[in-house]
């Protein structure tokens, strides 16, 4: 796989660009076509390449899907707790929210506020829609930071989040507690709209304090 990655860089390929044929790659690398085919499949699994049907491989647009599976496996295999996962997320998102307040576009700020409005509406229904809105909210903040690596790192937690989010939902045992949680999201979005990095950090810190406290009360350590 390293030989193909070296070729990608030496040829200056960008997402969407097509790689040489499997036969040409095998000749270039000095290996058999089956070995080349397995390397291509491995890179496709990592979302470095996009392979579909009989088409030549193309360089894929980076996303967090492969990293999310690695984090999920690491969390399970190392026996990490939900609180430890939240601690890492907090470190990342305290930075992304400050950067988002300084760098966000008007469209991003407006969308964040729109999401909080949708969250209040979704509160009256089941929790599945609300979870997806919550995930979208944090992802948008990371994107608004202007640093794609932050966006990928934050997004990589969503496999884990989809497993743990319902625990937090059940731990917020009454309607008012759940509504207060959405109001905290609203304060984050309002601070980002105002481009007030300090207030955005304070609201995000409050959000994580609340999440940790709720889980502790539920016996989740």
């Amino acid at each position: 796989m390293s030989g193909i990655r070296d070729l990608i860089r030496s040829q200056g390929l960008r997402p969407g660009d097509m790689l040489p044929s499997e036969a040409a790659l095998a000749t270039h690398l000095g290996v058999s076509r089956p070995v080349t085919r397995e390397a291509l499949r491995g890179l496709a699994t990592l979302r470095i390449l996009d392979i579909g049907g009989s088409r030549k491989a193309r360089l894929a647009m980076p996303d967090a899907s492969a990293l999310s599976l690695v984090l999920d496996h690491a969390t399970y295999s190392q026996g990490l707790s939900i609180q430890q996962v939240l601690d890492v997320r907090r470190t990342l998102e305290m930075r992304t929210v400050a950067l988002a307040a300084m760098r966000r576009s008007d469209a991003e700020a407006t969308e964040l506020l729109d999401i909080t409005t949708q969250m209040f509406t979704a509160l009256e229904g089941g929790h599945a829609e609300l979870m997806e809105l919550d995930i979208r909210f944090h992802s948008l903040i990371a994107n608004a930071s202007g640093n794609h690596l932050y966006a990928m790192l934050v997004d990589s937690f969503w496999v884990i989040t989809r497993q743990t989010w319902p625990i937090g939902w059940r731990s917020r045992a009454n309607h008012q507690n759940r509504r207060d949680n959405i109001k905290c999201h609203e304060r984050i979005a309002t601070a980002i709209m105002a481009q007030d990095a300090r207030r955005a950090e304070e609201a995000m810190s409050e959000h994580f304090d609340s999440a940790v406290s709720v889980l502790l009360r539920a016996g989740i350590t």
Side-chain angles (χ1 to χ4, degrees):
M1 287 193 290
S2 61
I4 296 175
R5 289 168 48 230
D6 289 344
L7 181 143
I8 289 169
R9 295 183 181 185
S10 67
Q11 294 192 1
L13 300 181
R14 308 299 299 169
D17 289 346
M18 190 176 293
L19 271 68
S21 68
E22 181 184 293
L25 283 171
T27 299
H28 175 79
L29 298 172
V31 297
S32 67
R33 289 186 64 173
V35 169
T36 303
R37 190 176 304 122
E38 285 304 309
L40 291 171
R41 288 173 179 168
L43 291 171
T45 300
L46 294 172
R47 292 296 302 135
I48 293 173
L49 297 180
D50 182 18
I51 301 175
S54 59
R55 294 188 293 107
K56 291 181 183 177
R58 292 180 182 272
L59 193 61
M61 181 65 70
D63 66 35
S65 57
L67 184 55
S68 67
L69 294 175
V70 172
L71 283 178
D72 182 47
H73 175 67
T75 300
Y76 171 77
S77 62
Q78 297 295 322
L80 300 180
S81 69
I82 294 175
Q83 298 288 0
Q84 287 174 305
V85 171
L86 281 176
D87 187 45
V88 176
R89 274 194 56 197
R90 181 185 193 132
T91 301
L92 288 170
E93 296 199 48
M94 289 295 291
R95 182 57 178 163
T96 59
V97 78
L99 290 173
M102 293 184 283
R103 298 175 178 174
R104 75 1 176 229
S105 67
D106 290 344
E108 288 167 332
T110 299
E111 185 177 353
L112 283 170
L113 285 171
D114 286 345
I115 290 173
T116 61
T117 299
Q118 294 174 55
M119 290 174 79
F120 281 117
T121 302
L123 180 59
E124 307 307 321
H127 74 267
E129 181 184 359
L130 188 55
M131 178 180 70
E132 294 305 321
L133 288 168
D134 191 359
I135 288 172
R136 173 60 185 155
F137 183 85
H138 289 271
S139 179
L140 182 56
I141 289 173
N143 276 285
S145 74
N147 186 324
H148 187 66
L149 281 178
Y150 274 132
M152 286 191 66
L153 288 170
V154 170
D155 284 350
S156 70
F157 281 93
W158 297 138
V159 167
I160 299 171
T161 298
R162 285 189 172 91
Q163 299 169 14
T164 60
W165 196 96
I167 298 172
W169 169 265
R170 291 192 298 270
S171 300
R172 299 182 187 278
N174 59 68
H175 183 83
Q176 186 58 51
N177 194 309
R178 293 168 179 174
R179 187 174 179 82
D180 287 345
N181 180 53
I182 299 174
K183 282 185 173 292
C184 189
H185 285 76
E186 186 178 51
R187 286 192 289 276
I188 294 170
T190 301
I192 290 174
M193 173 64 83
Q195 296 188 299
D196 189 331
R198 180 187 60 78
R199 189 153 55 95
E201 286 180 310
E202 289 174 352
M204 185 64 81
S205 181
E206 177 191 352
H207 175 48
F208 276 99
D209 284 344
S210 174
V212 169
S213 177
V214 164
L215 290 172
L216 286 174
R217 288 200 302 272
I220 307 298
T221 58

